[in-house]
Amino acid sequence: MLDSTSKYYLDYYNHLICKLFIVYDSERNPFRSLISLALTDQTLCKAALALAARHKANSGRSFHEPGTVVPIQSRGTHYDALLFKQQAMQQLASDLSDTTSCAKDTIMASIFLLIFLDLLESGSDRWNVHLEGVKRVIETNPLLSGPDMSTSQDPGRTVLQIRNFITRQIYLIETLGATFVRPKLLSQFNFLEQSEALLQETIEQSFLGCPEYLLTAIQSLSMCRDALTVPEPLDSATLTGHAQNINKIIEFIQDFDCTIWASSLPHPDDLPTRDTHNLPMLAQSYKLGALIYGQRILDTVTKQDSTQGGLVQELIRVIGLLKEEDALFKCILWPIFVAGLECREPAQRDFLSSSLERFWAVTSCMNGVNAGRILQGYWQWQEQEGGPGSFASRWVFTIGRMGQDWLLI
């Protein structure tokens, strides 16, 4: 039985957390489907309660407050969040040490929620460790992967959908997360081979709504970037080959039609109506961010600093359009941060700073606050090194070496 405090936070999770980490909330929200599992599993329950308590504690804070300051009115929920997190971590360690429980779906779900807890806490704590942990659980438990998931154990439709949802979101988190961390920090794991359901894209069951077509391209670009980080200088033939590959990926991204993508997504009759005008804009924000990211990797090969003012201005315009739609705006921290790394004009920087403040107001995720602090430091560094635009292509390598491994999504 849950005590009154736990009931309160579980209700908070149901009403606020579930809709926060999904593009469009609906009766099919996979985060809400976890509640029934949490009622019978202590680890998953404590992880969900920690998420709820941390979000509530954050909601009482200001965007401009130092991260170490906890307002008096938030201290109770702050300590609740710490306690629930500690209990979840202790129980998870116990579960993982028990070989008979390592095939449980709730272990994967618990670790999954702890990644989102990191977004609320900072975006730089242990998300990459949790991510690697989820991948190991999937790899070492055939029950959690592959086309035979629903045969021998017959887990039921809901649990199977949760598994597929988590697998897809881990793929998304790994792909976007790899762009702002040290090259080769994350292990390579092909989630597209783990579940056929990954091919069935549904916006109502997506954390950020980034089209998988673009995720594939971004992942390929990161692999190209990582291939450039070798101890010995690369010869001209190898560099030419890398440049050709990167150019092909950029063309692949340019060919993506955001409007067709949005209109072709499956939409069951029992789900709410979507914003068909802004949904293509959500995809466009990721397309533009991917083009900028790809060009900067290409620049490191060709030893150039390409002018990307047009792409950046268009990305800022799209961000402005999405700013009026909270459901979609909460999904675009990654494009906002890419724009911040590239913008040159004070007015652009002011706009993006205000966008991050808006992101904080909508999500209460501390990774948005930290994204603003990172950009302020990066802009200051640029000024010291020769002014805006100096060494423009370097961020694809240097941004992951700023002291911590950030998950800015």
Side-chain angles (χ1 to χ4, degrees):
M1 292 290 293
L2 297 176
D3 58 31
S4 59
T5 300
S6 298
K7 288 179 180 178
Y8 170 81
Y9 284 121
L10 196 59
D11 186 63
Y12 189 101
Y13 172 92
N14 179 37
H15 287 94
L16 292 175
I17 300 301
C18 291
K19 68 179 182 180
L20 172 62
F21 294 125
I22 208 77
V23 179
Y24 290 127
D25 193 15
S26 71
E27 293 181 358
R28 299 189 183 189
N29 188 327
F31 282 98
R32 195 166 284 114
S33 299
L34 292 176
I35 294 176
S36 60
L37 296 179
L39 291 174
T40 59
D41 185 90
Q42 278 294 306
T43 310
L44 182 57
C45 184
K46 295 300 183 182
L49 298 179
L51 266 177
R54 176 52 57 202
H55 183 270
K56 183 172 175 57
N58 285 1
S59 63
R61 303 175 66 163
S62 164
F63 179 80
H64 301 285
E65 284 179 7
T68 56
V69 175
V70 180
I72 294 176
Q73 67 271 21
S74 299
R75 288 180 184 173
T77 50
H78 171 71
Y79 293 130
D80 286 341
L82 292 177
L83 176 61
F84 290 137
K85 179 183 178 180
Q86 180 187 36
Q87 291 172 336
M89 295 294 290
Q90 289 176 340
Q91 188 61 49
L92 179 61
S94 176
D95 291 344
L96 290 171
S97 65
D98 182 358
T99 57
T100 63
S101 69
C102 280
K104 289 171 59 178
D105 301 278
T106 50
I107 291 179
M108 182 169 69
S110 300
I111 302 173
F112 177 66
L113 290 189
L114 290 174
I115 295 174
F116 287 88
L117 180 60
D118 198 350
L119 297 181
L120 286 168
E121 290 184 331
S122 67
S124 66
D125 185 12
R126 296 176 59 82
W127 70 269
N128 54 314
V129 177
H130 295 318
L131 185 68
E132 296 300 319
V134 170
K135 289 189 284 188
R136 282 196 298 272
V137 171
I138 294 173
E139 288 174 326
T140 57
N141 291 275
L143 175 62
L144 298 177
S145 62
D148 296 328
M149 284 192 296
S150 61
T151 56
S152 61
Q153 299 294 327
D154 189 24
R157 182 177 178 83
T158 299
V159 174
L160 183 61
Q161 289 174 338
I162 290 172
R163 292 177 188 171
N164 291 334
F165 166 72
I166 291 176
T167 302
R168 171 186 262 115
Q169 305 322 305
I170 292 299
Y171 171 61
L172 179 149
I173 292 167
E174 178 186 68
T175 300
L176 296 180
T179 59
F180 299 140
V181 299
R182 291 165 288 160
K184 303 179 182 179
L185 174 71
L186 303 177
S187 65
Q188 290 295 322
F189 186 73
N190 192 342
F191 285 99
L192 292 176
E193 294 180 354
Q194 293 298 317
S195 174
E196 294 177 354
L198 288 178
L199 302 176
Q200 304 166 359
E201 193 169 11
T202 307
I203 199 70
E204 284 79 13
Q205 295 194 343
S206 176
F207 165 33
L208 298 177
C210 177
E212 287 170 4
Y213 181 105
L214 295 178
L215 285 176
T216 300
I218 293 170
Q219 184 185 59
S220 298
L221 288 171
S222 293
M223 292 173 67
C224 291
R225 177 202 63 180
D226 292 357
L228 298 172
T229 57
V230 292
E232 300 298 326
L234 298 174
D235 58 47
S236 59
T238 301
L239 289 173
T240 299
H242 283 312
Q244 291 173 344
N245 288 337
I246 297 168
N247 269 314
K248 288 179 181 178
I249 299 170
I250 291 175
E251 292 174 3
F252 181 79
I253 298 169
Q254 289 170 333
D255 290 340
F256 181 70
D257 190 309
C258 298
T259 302
I260 292 177
W261 168 81
S263 63
S264 63
L265 289 169
H267 186 257
D269 294 336
D270 60 336
L271 293 180
T273 303
R274 298 171 180 156
D275 184 342
T276 55
H277 173 70
N278 282 331
L279 194 54
M281 290 294 99
L282 174 64
Q284 183 72 1
S285 71
Y286 280 97
K287 176 179 178 177
L288 292 167
L291 287 172
I292 292 169
Y293 180 58
Q295 185 59 52
R296 285 306 178 217
I297 296 173
L298 181 61
D299 285 349
T300 65
V301 177
T302 59
K303 310 299 183 188
Q304 297 178 351
D305 276 333
S306 300
T307 300
Q308 302 213 71
L311 283 176
V312 173
Q313 188 58 44
E314 176 62 13
L315 178 52
I316 288 174
R317 185 188 74 84
V318 170
I319 291 169
L321 292 174
L322 292 172
K323 212 171 184 179
E324 304 303 317
E325 177 59 54
D326 287 354
L328 301 182
F329 188 74
K330 71 181 189 298
C331 301
I332 61 168
L333 179 58
W334 189 84
I336 291 172
F337 194 74
V338 171
L341 291 168
E342 287 288 334
C343 67
R344 304 290 174 254
E345 302 298 328
Q348 293 177 331
R349 293 177 174 181
D350 289 343
F351 170 79
L352 292 170
S353 294
S354 70
S355 296
L356 290 171
E357 187 169 358
R358 175 64 181 158
F359 178 85
W360 163 256
V362 172
T363 67
S364 295
C365 288
M366 279 296 296
N367 67 333
V369 176
N370 286 324
R373 293 172 181 159
I374 295 168
L375 286 177
Q376 291 293 337
Y378 182 74
W379 295 335
Q380 184 178 25
W381 173 82
Q382 276 196 326
E383 296 290 347
Q384 293 172 348
E385 292 294 322
S390 300
F391 315 109
S393 64
R394 289 189 182 180
W395 68 259
V396 295
F397 293 104
T398 59
I399 200 64
R401 297 189 174 96
M402 298 187 69
Q404 292 170 292
D405 298 307
W406 297 98
L407 182 59
L408 304 176
I409 62 175

